[in-house]
């Protein structure tokens, strides 16, 4: 559950409906400053029909800090706490393809896989910064919203789908007037 109720880049004052609307079907406990917004596209009914597991990442402000350095390698990510249980790790290891819902889930899974060589149950912290070129070890598909320019999140999706493809997708999204950010549209990258 999100403890920060409305993101500043929404360009409007907080509304009463945001308190409920900005929670996802994945929300389990307080501690994150933002909702994993790709999860806003799911309803409990949809989720009940899809194979899924839960993991916890307490998203911090570092996820949203723009990259301001000349060399991306010099950007420093802030650490964020996560938890992945044994049953979830087992199901992920057995999955034919792991579809991560959001960049936050992607960061947790890739961080664990980088540290252990596979998905294992673990409580820890991640400060992984994923940018091109990154060899993905755990995630085989990604459902994510459209992100801000110069953000670590845009760099992560560019690492996953390729920079050229992502720039074409973003140009199309702008042309077609897709909604960006928290209550925006999403894309599935295979």
């Amino acid at each position: 559950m999100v403890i920060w109720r409305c993101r500043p880049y929404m360009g409007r004052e907080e509304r009463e409906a945001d308190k409920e609307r900005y929670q996802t079907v994945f929300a389990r406990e307080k501690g994150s400053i933002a909702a994993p917004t790709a999860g806003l596209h799911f309803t409990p009914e949809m989720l009940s029909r899809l194979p899924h597991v839960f993991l916890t990442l307490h998203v911090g402000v570092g996820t949203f800090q723009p990259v301001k350095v000349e060399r991306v390698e010099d950007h420093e990510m802030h650490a964020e706490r996560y938890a992945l249980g044994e049953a979830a790790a087992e199901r992920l290891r057995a999955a034919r393809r792991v579809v991560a819902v959001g960049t936050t889930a992607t960061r947790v899974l890739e961080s664990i896989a980088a540290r252990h060589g596979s998905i294992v149950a673990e409580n820890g912290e991640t400060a992984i910064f994923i940018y091109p070129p990154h060899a993905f070890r755990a995630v085989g598909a990604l459902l994510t919203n459209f992100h801000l320019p110069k953000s670590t999140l845009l760099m992560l999706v560019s690492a996953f789908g390729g920079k050229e493809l992502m720039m074409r997708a973003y140009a199309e999204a702008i042309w077609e007037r897709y909604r960006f950010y928290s209550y925006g549209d999403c894309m599935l990258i295979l």
Side-chain angles (χ1 to χ4, degrees), residues 8-9 26 94 98 115-116 122-123 134-135 154 164 176-177 184:
Y9 61 65
F26 301 110
V98 173
R115 189 170 10 268
H116 300 287
E122 182 174 75
N123 292 349
H134 175 82
L154 179 57
E164 184 180 315
E176 294 293 335
R177 297 183 167 202

Side-chain angles (χ1 to χ4, degrees), residues 27-182:
R28 294 288 176 266
E29 60 184 74
K30 291 185 179 183
S32 190
I33 63 120
T37 56
L40 291 170
H41 301 283
F42 290 87
T43 64
E45 295 77 24
M46 289 172 69
L47 194 60
S48 72
R49 294 191 305 263
L50 297 170
H52 63 279
V53 300
F54 292 103
L55 61 82
T56 299
L57 174 65
H58 293 292
V59 178
V61 294
T63 294
F64 304 102
Q65 297 298 320
V67 176
K68 296 180 180 177
V69 294
E70 286 292 319
R71 294 175 0 109
V72 300
E73 298 89 348
D74 295 334
H75 178 76
E76 190 174 326
M77 290 291 289
H78 296 185
E80 299 168 316
R81 292 180 299 120
Y82 67 82
L84 180 67
E86 183 56 50
E90 191 174 310
R91 288 188 63 200
L92 289 167
R93 284 191 304 271
R96 196 175 50 139
R97 175 188 268 179
V98 173
V99 179
V101 177
T103 55
T104 54
T106 301
R107 290 183 61 235
V108 169
L109 297 174
E110 289 299 312
S111 187
I112 292 171
R115 189 170 10 268
H116 300 287
S118 69
I119 299 298
V120 300
E122 182 174 75
N123 292 349
E125 288 189 342
T126 181
I128 192 171
F129 177 25
I130 299 174
Y131 55 88
H134 175 82
F136 285 82
R137 297 177 176 163
V139 175
L142 172 59
L143 181 77
T144 187
N145 288 20
F146 289 90
H147 303 288
L148 289 168
K150 298 183 182 178
S151 70
T152 61
L153 306 175
L154 179 57
M155 291 181 188
L156 186 151
V157 299
S158 293
F160 194 87
K163 184 178 178 186
E164 184 180 315
L165 177 61
M166 288 301 97
M167 293 304 105
R168 285 197 325 258
Y170 273 68
E172 177 78 9
I174 292 166
W175 177 259
E176 294 293 335
R177 297 183 167 202
Y178 288 7
R179 294 171 298 160
F180 280 48
Y181 321 129
S182 288

